[in-house]
Amino acid sequence: MESVKKKRRLSPLARRQRISAWMFLVPGIITTVWLRYYPMLKAFYMSLFNYDAVSPPGKFVGMKNYQALFKTSFYWEAWGNTFAFLFLTLLMVFWIPLVQAIFLNEINRGRKLFTTVYLITTLIPMSVNVIVWKWIWDPDYGIANQIFKFFGGDAQMWLSDPELTKLCIVFPGIVGGGVNVLLYLTAIQGISKDIYEAAALDGCVGWRKVVHIILPNIRFIVVIQLVLSCITTMQILDVPYQFTSGGPSGASTSLGIFIYNSVYTDLNYGKSAAASVTLFIVIAILTVLQMKLDKSEAA
């Protein structure tokens, strides 16, 4: 027993290394708890009160904020818009960087040039991008209507049309590019060349190579990007707000905009906190389901 205890004792060097590691970790842990987990707990706490910012926390109301929220039709419309944004993003935008990375992997000359071109798009501020696309969608002098008229179509109101506004907000994402292309390209290039050579000997080339070699070997990064894309889109606020401020007639009001308006327009902190908590719960459930499904497929 004494020999076992002696083995368990750390040497002075090992003890100093462990302490040094914790010294580097503790600031990050404290910052994460303070800036991430504390606001989450604070939001749930605020949702239980008729929160008064002047003399917090105000009157305790329990779950009444949630009950009032679920009876608000505008809240459910915001949820519908949020899921519509999610559907359009996954349908039109999510797979673009993956396709770009696959094509970049197939070329030898000019790969660095095209990779740089795709990465440059991340340097353009979102506000500038929105300004450009708002000009494109302008019903009077925008390029979109000019193209429609050239092919014999009728001019559209685009961002002012409730049936088209969500499509117009998501559509700029088809340009693709950004860091996601580099992530996919790095994962693809990390596949062993022996696998490619063995597949080529078996006649697995072209589209079959993409389906049977590339996609299965980079599924981990695709799943991670899918989860992050869903989380980001469910929290969408800045893009539709800059495009239409949630209009027309609430057609582009995401749950993020609903929460923002509840705070800064209605000054109803309890309701906004309750909406934030429900959004967090739904995103957490979707994330867990996505990860579980991926594990089950892998098994």
Side-chain angles (χ1 to χ4, degrees), residues 8-26:
R8 289 180 179 176
R9 291 176 182 175
L10 296 174
S11 65
L13 178 60
R15 191 179 296 110
R16 285 197 298 270
Q17 289 177 342
R18 181 169 291 185
I19 293 173
S20 300
W22 276 106
M23 288 179 65
F24 280 101
L25 287 173
V26 167

Side-chain angles (χ1 to χ4, degrees), residues 131-147 149 155-158:
I131 291 172
V132 172
W133 277 95
K134 287 181 73 173
W135 171 72
I136 292 174
W137 296 128
D138 189 275
D140 296 323
Y141 49 82
I143 294 178
N145 272 340
Q146 299 301 321
I147 295 174
K149 292 178 181 178
Q156 304 293 326
M157 294 302 294
W158 302 116

